[in-house]
Amino acid sequence: NAGVTQTPKFQVLKTGQSMTLQCAQDMNHNSMYWYRQDPGMGLRLIYYSASEGTTDKGEVPNGYNVSRLNKREFSLRLESAAPSQTSVYFCASLLDRGAQTKNTEAFFGQGTRLTVV
Amino acid sequence: EDKVVQSPLSLVVHEGDTVTLNCSYEVTNFRSLLWYKQEKKAPTFLFMLTSSGIEKKSGRLSSILDKKELFSILNITATQTGDSAIYLCAVEPQGAGNMLTFGGGTRLMVKP
């Protein structure tokens, strides 16, 4: 099925371990995003990429790095995981809207539940 | 800094009730406001609003935007247990990247 594919679905890390969350979309979208969701705090933007090869910090970038090597894939890396990074992570993609585009719907992956112990 | 505040934080109603969820925002160069429904996994899109006073409607759900007072409401009439979810509001500014700023969400529980 077309859409946003995010892996893994679940992960448990020890403090200090590193890992990469993978995200791929097959809708030819230019913009991709990484969010984390914590109870009562909605979705907070970690990093985003407006196009292939570009990335920018969002609201909560500390402790994370990202990579947009091609149009399809946008990965999120935790170099040294901390308990404060326990969260649910969502990747999303969105087609850049020109004047003629009516819908700005962002498509979300199914989420990664990360626990850092 | 863009800001989105949703209220109430949570709401418990019975089937058949009507609910109104609120979203207020501050954003530089507003482009659109979006509502999402999140059940167990990823948020799913409900509405996009760009103009004041024009109601968007989908079945029992409707939403309207007031760009002067900087808020939007999402109404659900004749609620059903399947409406139980977190409802997220987001604003999109003008400009590259189409960054969305999300509110904290309203958790709605509809009891039989």
Side-chain angles (χ1 to χ4, degrees), chain A residues 9 31 33 35 37 40-43 45 48 50 57 59 90 94-98 102-106 108-110, chain B residues 1 9 31-32 34 36 38 40-45 48 50 86 88 92 96-105:
Chain A
K9 288 188 171 61
S31 300
Y33 311 83
Y35 292 93
Q37 185 173 34
M41 301 186 79
L43 289 158
L45 184 65
Y48 72 101
K57 295 178 180 180
E59 183 183 355
F90 286 99
L94 188 152
L95 183 66
D96 272 353
R97 289 205 304 143
K102 295 180 183 178
N103 196 350
T104 193
E105 179 182 353
F108 287 84
Q110 289 301 295
Chain B
E1 185 179 318
L9 289 178
R31 186 173 198 174
S32 68
L34 301 98
Y36 286 84
Q38 185 178 22
K40 292 185 179 177
K41 292 189 176 178
T44 54
F45 176 77
M48 182 186 76
T50 57
I86 297 172
L88 295 165
E92 179 198 14
N98 303 105
M99 273 203 304
L100 300 178
T101 299
F102 282 84

Side-chain angles (χ1 to χ4, degrees), chain A residues 37-40 42, chain B residues 6 9 21 35-40 43-44 46 74 83-89 103-109:
Chain A
Q37 185 173 34
D38 302 291
Chain B
Q6 289 185 248
L9 289 178
L21 309 183
W35 283 97
Y36 286 84
K37 177 183 181 182
Q38 185 178 22
E39 296 175 88
K40 292 185 179 177
T44 54
L46 293 175
L74 175 68
D83 295 326
S84 296
I86 297 172
Y87 290 84
L88 295 165
C89 170
T106 294
R107 182 180 292 274
L108 174 66
M109 179 180 293

Side-chain angles (χ1 to χ4, degrees), chain B residues 4-22:
Chain B
V4 180
V5 177
Q6 289 185 248
S7 63
L9 289 178
S10 65
L11 193 55
V12 180
V13 300
H14 288 94
E15 275 192 317
D17 288 350
T18 293
V19 297
T20 298
L21 309 183
N22 303 293

Side-chain angles (χ1 to χ4, degrees), chain A:
Chain A
N1 292 336
V4 180
T5 304
Q6 203 179 319
T7 57
K9 288 188 171 61
F10 301 96
Q11 184 72 49
V12 178
L13 291 177
K14 293 183 179 178
T15 297
Q17 285 186 314
S18 62
M19 78 161 294
T20 300
L21 280 66
Q22 305 287 352
C23 177
Q25 52 92 9
D26 56 7
M27 296 172 284
N28 204 35
H29 287 172
N30 291 323
S31 300
M32 296 185 75
Y33 311 83
W34 275 105
Y35 292 93
R36 59 177 288 173
Q37 185 173 34
D38 302 291
M41 301 186 79
L43 289 158
R44 291 184 294 169
L45 184 65
I46 304 171
Y47 270 93
Y48 72 101
S49 169
S51 61
E52 179 182 345
T54 68
T55 61
D56 285 286
K57 295 178 180 180
E59 183 183 355
V60 287
N62 292 344
Y64 306 95
N65 283 303
V66 290
S67 177
R68 182 88 182 271
L69 292 176
N70 55 60
K71 196 170 187 178
R72 284 191 70 245
E73 297 170 303
F74 188 38
S75 60
L76 178 73
R77 182 158 178 85
L78 287 72
E79 290 291 351
S80 179
S84 61
Q85 294 177 305
T86 294
S87 188
V88 178
Y89 291 84
F90 286 99
C91 175
S93 74
L94 188 152
L95 183 66
D96 272 353
R97 289 205 304 143
Q100 302 304 317
T101 306
K102 295 180 183 178
N103 196 350
T104 193
E105 179 182 353
F107 292 82
F108 287 84
Q110 289 301 295
T112 297
R113 185 173 292 277
L114 175 67
T115 303
V116 183
V117 298

